[in-house]
Amino acid sequence: MQEERVDDEQHTRGEIARQLRKEREARNWSLSALSSHSGVSKGTISKIERGEASPTAVVLSRLAAAFGFTLAGFLLKAEDSGDPVSRRANQPEWKDPETGYRRRQIFIKADHPIDLTAIEFPPNQKIIFPAAAFGARRHLIWVQIGEIVIQIGANSHRLKAGDSIGINVLTDVSFENDRDAPCFYLVATAK
């Protein structure tokens, strides 16, 4: 199982690298131009494009936003097979190398208005997503196991198993697991 996860992560890293380069070249942007649009350093972008580094959730969100995509939208372009059925064995996983945050894309199709993602959020970790990561999409977070603190602007919300929250804002949003156990939650996104 561990070997499969490593292979999946390497495969996903390659897909992200190809899609990043494809989007940049389609716009005739240099590394400097993408760096300017995203706020991500040229060196980091270059390493990601060469498959030498896996981007963090925040970095990938900034890069996706520079192209006008949400994080999920960018990953869709990198991973979509076109099959209307989303088989468990083919659901791409991606792991944030900085925090260990893991996302599995349960369902996402270009022609369907709803995406569904499963998140495993490690204990004692925090991620601040820039407003651009959410775009104009609506997100519904539904906690399955554990607890998480979600801060939207000045408002902080502690969610426990069974709790849910809708996010439809243009502001930075932080997710923090301040517990000693992982938190598992689902994210439904409406286009």
Side-chain angles (χ1 to χ4, degrees), residues 89-130:
N90 298 327
Q91 294 171 358
E93 290 191 15
W94 176 76
K95 181 180 177 184
D96 181 342
E98 186 174 291
T99 63
Y101 160 98
R102 185 179 299 274
R103 72 186 313 275
R104 180 170 50 93
Q105 196 64 57
I106 295 173
F107 184 84
I108 186 167
K109 300 294 173 188
D111 62 347
H112 199 279
I114 297 178
D115 307 337
L116 187 61
T117 308
I119 305 295
E120 177 184 341
F121 203 99
N124 303 304
Q125 294 294 328
K126 181 176 183 175
I127 295 177
I128 301 173
F129 287 101

Side-chain angles (χ1 to χ4, degrees), residues 60-87:
L60 193 54
S61 293
R62 289 182 187 279
L63 292 168
F67 298 129
F69 299 117
T70 61
L71 175 62
F74 180 82
L75 289 173
L76 166 66
K77 291 185 73 69
E79 301 164 343
D80 190 17
S81 68
D83 186 350
V85 176
S86 181
R87 306 262 182 228

Side-chain angles (χ1 to χ4, degrees), residues 36-175:
S36 176
H37 287 285
S38 66
V40 177
S41 75
K42 288 188 327 185
T44 298
I45 295 168
S46 179
K47 285 180 182 178
I48 294 167
E49 282 191 1
R50 291 191 314 263
E52 296 174 2
S54 183
T56 65
V58 172
V59 166
L60 193 54
S61 293
R62 289 182 187 279
L63 292 168
F67 298 129
F69 299 117
T70 61
L71 175 62
F74 180 82
L75 289 173
L76 166 66
K77 291 185 73 69
E79 301 164 343
D80 190 17
S81 68
D83 186 350
V85 176
S86 181
R87 306 262 182 228
R88 172 61 179 104
N90 298 327
Q91 294 171 358
E93 290 191 15
W94 176 76
K95 181 180 177 184
D96 181 342
E98 186 174 291
T99 63
Y101 160 98
R102 185 179 299 274
R103 72 186 313 275
R104 180 170 50 93
Q105 196 64 57
I106 295 173
F107 184 84
I108 186 167
K109 300 294 173 188
D111 62 347
H112 199 279
I114 297 178
D115 307 337
L116 187 61
T117 308
I119 305 295
E120 177 184 341
F121 203 99
N124 303 304
Q125 294 294 328
K126 181 176 183 175
I127 295 177
I128 301 173
F129 287 101
F134 294 91
R137 303 180 89 190
R138 295 176 182 203
H139 293 70
L140 174 65
I141 312 294
W142 183 24
V143 177
Q144 302 296 293
I145 299 171
E147 296 183 24
I148 192 161
V149 177
I150 299 177
Q151 178 130 2
I152 305 169
N155 299 314
S156 183
H157 311 275
R158 178 174 295 279
L159 280 71
K160 298 179 180 183
D163 294 344
S164 60
I165 187 171
I167 300 176
N168 185 28
V169 296
L170 294 174
T171 187
D172 294 353
V173 178
S174 73
F175 290 72

